[in-house]
Amino acid sequence: MSDTKRDTNPRNLSPESNEHAEKDPMGVFMMSPDGIMRSFGPPPKRIVVDAIGLSPAQIEQTMDMQPWHQETEDKFRGVDGRKVVDHEVLFNPPDEQATEVVEGGV
């Protein structure tokens, strides 16, 4: 990521295209339970390249692109990723989230 500070909460983010996020051609995107859409770099490390807090509407849009599961619905109910502003939290997700990406859970 560049040295310039990015707005982690763009109002016009389109989750289906991830057009505002930095990406690595060998990386993956993952929406975490904290409502953050993270762009992970290539294996084996899968470091976070970029992170964007999603609004509840954007989270719903993203979930609508996947098969419906009650567990997923429950996990994201009431989540607003725009409230996550701490750089450490944005770019260093909990180990279980990073492990899920490394193991191909996404």
Side-chain angles (χ1 to χ4, degrees), residues 2-105:
S2 66
D3 291 335
T4 59
K5 185 171 171 104
R6 290 188 68 249
D7 176 5
T8 59
N9 301 309
R11 291 180 217 15
N12 298 317
L13 175 67
S14 172
E16 62 273 13
S17 66
N18 298 305
E19 63 192 29
H20 295 282
E22 290 186 30
K23 23 186 160 325
D24 184 296
M26 299 295 292
V28 296
F29 282 97
M30 177 183 170
M31 183 172 68
S32 301
D34 55 5
I36 305 298
M37 179 67 75
R38 290 183 176 88
S39 173
F40 289 87
K45 277 188 131 178
R46 294 280 192 208
I47 62 166
V48 177
V49 176
D50 203 359
I52 298 174
L54 302 180
S55 71
Q58 292 168 325
I59 292 169
E60 185 175 340
Q61 271 185 309
T62 302
M63 289 186 344
D64 286 347
M65 292 186 286
Q66 305 297 320
W68 186 87
H69 297 285
Q70 185 65 52
E71 179 183 344
T72 304
E73 190 78 22
D74 293 344
K75 179 173 27 175
F76 289 102
R77 184 175 292 120
V79 173
D80 187 342
R82 299 171 301 178
K83 294 180 180 179
V84 180
V85 294
D86 184 310
H87 185 274
E88 185 68 23
V89 174
L90 288 166
F91 288 88
N92 295 296
D95 288 341
E96 63 271 8
Q97 290 176 18
T99 301
E100 185 177 339
V101 173
V102 171
E103 292 176 353

